[in-house]
Amino acid sequence: MAILEVHNIEKNFGTLQVLQGISFSLEKGESMAIIGSSGSGKTTLLRCLNFLERPDNGKIMVNNEVIFDALDPCTQRESEVRKKRLHFGLVFQNFNLFPQYTALKNITLAAELLAKERPNFQKDKRIILKEIQEKGEMLLAQVGLSDKRDYYPHQLSGGQQQRVAIARALAMEPDILCFDEPTSALDPELTGEVLKVIRNLADRNTTMVIVTHEMAFARDVADRILFMDEGVIVEQGTPQEVFENPKEERTRQFLTRYNES
Amino acid sequence: MNEIPVIIDRLSESFLLNCQLFALTLIFSLPLGLVIAFGSMSRFYPLRWLSRTFVWIIRGTPLMLQLIIIFYAPGLLDMSFTWPNGASGRFVAAVVAFVINYACYFSEIFRGGIESIPKGQYEAGQVLGMTKTQIFFKVILLQVVKRILPPVGNEVITLVKDTSLARIIANKEIIMMAGEYSSKGLIWPLFATGIYFLIFVGALTLLLGWFEKKLSYFRA
């Protein structure tokens, strides 16, 4: 059963049609890579899934529950959106860690704030906060940064910052974790450590949507490739299908250009 | 010669008024400035227009004139509202004028600071399910404070010296006090007032430096 279903998403910025009817679905545990040239709408699609942009048209369903419907204003209310967006996690291109908090606090902050809304928070405060803390430490270990728990973002390299950002997104236990070009802001020698973490997540069957320019990585890690151009999905399939036997002319052109450079 | 300690005593006493005016202005104008800053950034056009026009008027006219208007207008316009009688009324009027004036300057500093925080910080908070209020107080505010500390320090130091303007509505602050001596031909008390301001500003400079250092543990 599909964990995520996206129906006919459209998004315009003024007269510019960025997304022109995007539909796809994603199985639980599947990792999908979205490829395509700059301006093809990949990032906007991710931002729509994370409620950072409001689609002009279309419907998004998670676990058969409608979490966004352009025709139903009820799904767009601020309080509703806040709860529903936690189905998704997002890792940004430029990390966006909170500079005034340590690596560990970056990971635990949102969970702590959310815990305050639990009815038993006052009573079980200590236990709850301790659990969050331990989970944060566990996640730091998972991304290989246990020794950096008390470091501030500016004391970390770009790769380390992005790994903290991945742990921070995981802390909210999203159903679907999205990556927006996670290695594009990194020096080439730092991309490896971040890709390794994402690869580990794929091995653990984390459901992921990864927008990337790292073709070799996409081919290697993703279960499915989605090629976008000018706001539409041109082609999708397994890495083998898309990379080795692309059906569409546009896909072929894109991949050739990529192989040349 | 034995009147020197007496004069110093009276100068010190009158400088207390400058200090009180300074403290009260800061206490009220900083939060009011934040409110005006939010008004100036509001998506609701009439409120934004109102805030920005108000800031324009207050920043566009001399503080000295504002003091005079705020103090005399209730009486001249025959309003039902009047300032309390005597020295306390003059002092309260001065506080009100200073608070309004400085809140407007602070509001622009706050606005600049808030708008300088990258959008990504808000978005990171949003995708983690934080509310707008949580994002502002837990993520944005401290970064803003760090960024605006130097310009706020500038305003605060200007405020110390501006408190002397309160004499225009007959508040007995230090320069007015020294002026009484100079009009009798004794000039040194006027020069001595400079020392009070220098020491006060010196202490503030140290305090601001300490605060800046406190916030240097992170970069924003």
Side-chain angles (χ1 to χ4, degrees), chain A residues 121-186:
Chain A
F121 181 73
Q122 280 312 323
K123 196 158 62 77
D124 305 328
K125 197 171 176 177
R126 273 233 198 98
I127 306 165
I128 292 175
L129 291 180
K130 193 160 172 271
E131 273 171 14
I132 293 172
Q133 176 99 1
E134 276 166 3
K135 193 167 145 215
E137 281 169 8
M138 192 269 286
L139 287 166
L140 264 182
Q142 192 183 327
V143 297
L145 289 172
S146 290
D147 54 330
K148 304 289 188 209
R149 53 167 273 172
D150 296 323
Y151 281 53
Y152 290 93
H154 77 271
Q155 298 168 316
L156 301 172
S157 71
Q160 291 168 337
Q161 288 188 51
Q162 190 61 302
R163 281 146 70 194
V164 173
I166 293 171
R168 178 174 72 172
L170 287 170
M172 304 311 283
E173 296 176 353
D175 296 316
I176 301 139
L177 185 55
C178 304
F179 293 83
D180 183 13
E181 303 187 22
T183 57
S184 294
L186 296 174

Side-chain angles (χ1 to χ4, degrees), chain A residues 159-210:
Chain A
Q160 291 168 337
Q161 288 188 51
Q162 190 61 302
R163 281 146 70 194
V164 173
I166 293 171
R168 178 174 72 172
L170 287 170
M172 304 311 283
E173 296 176 353
D175 296 316
I176 301 139
L177 185 55
C178 304
F179 293 83
D180 183 13
E181 303 187 22
T183 57
S184 294
L186 296 174
D187 293 335
E189 72 265 30
L190 298 177
T191 57
E193 57 184 85
V194 172
L195 297 182
K196 201 176 121 202
V197 168
I198 303 174
R199 199 184 305 253
N200 278 336
L201 290 172
D203 292 342
R204 292 169 178 229
N205 289 328
T206 313
T207 315
M208 294 189 285
V209 179
I210 309 163

Side-chain angles (χ1 to χ4, degrees), chain A residues 47 82 85 97 100-101, chain B residues 121 123 126 129 138-139:
Chain A
R47 291 173 62 85
R82 232 193 96 218
R85 72 186 334 151
L97 290 182
Q100 72 267 46
Y101 294 119
Chain B
Q121 291 288 307
E123 291 179 348
Q126 278 174 299
K138 297 284 178 182
V139 176

Side-chain angles (χ1 to χ4, degrees), chain B residues 28 83 99 118 151:
Chain B
F28 292 111
W83 298 107
V99 166

Side-chain angles (χ1 to χ4, degrees), chain A residues 42-149:
Chain A
K42 309 181 301 282
T43 295
T44 306
L45 176 59
L46 270 200
R47 291 173 62 85
C48 285
L49 293 180
N50 283 277
F51 295 91
L52 293 175
E53 304 289 351
R54 179 169 302 185
D56 298 314
N57 209 344
K59 202 158 90 172
I60 299 170
M61 290 167 74
V62 174
N63 287 327
N64 275 334
E65 180 199 358
V66 178
I67 66 161
F68 175 87
D69 186 347
L71 300 175
D72 180 4
C74 284
T75 63
Q76 297 166 38
R77 248 187 261 132
E78 180 74 27
S79 54
E80 289 287 305
V81 164
R82 232 193 96 218
K83 271 179 270 160
K84 286 176 176 171
R85 72 186 334 151
L86 287 176
H87 287 298
F88 295 90
L90 178 60
V91 174
F92 296 88
Q93 185 176 350
N94 44 7
F95 336 133
N96 289 335
L97 290 182
F98 306 134
Q100 72 267 46
Y101 294 119
T102 60
L104 182 62
K105 186 74 179 177
N106 261 281
I107 297 169
T108 58
L109 178 70
E112 285 167 7
L113 293 171
L114 198 66
K116 282 184 188 168
E117 291 168 28
R118 285 198 229 166
N120 61 340
F121 181 73
Q122 280 312 323
K123 196 158 62 77
D124 305 328
K125 197 171 176 177
R126 273 233 198 98
I127 306 165
I128 292 175
L129 291 180
K130 193 160 172 271
E131 273 171 14
I132 293 172
Q133 176 99 1
E134 276 166 3
K135 193 167 145 215
E137 281 169 8
M138 192 269 286
L139 287 166
L140 264 182
Q142 192 183 327
V143 297
L145 289 172
S146 290
D147 54 330
K148 304 289 188 209
R149 53 167 273 172

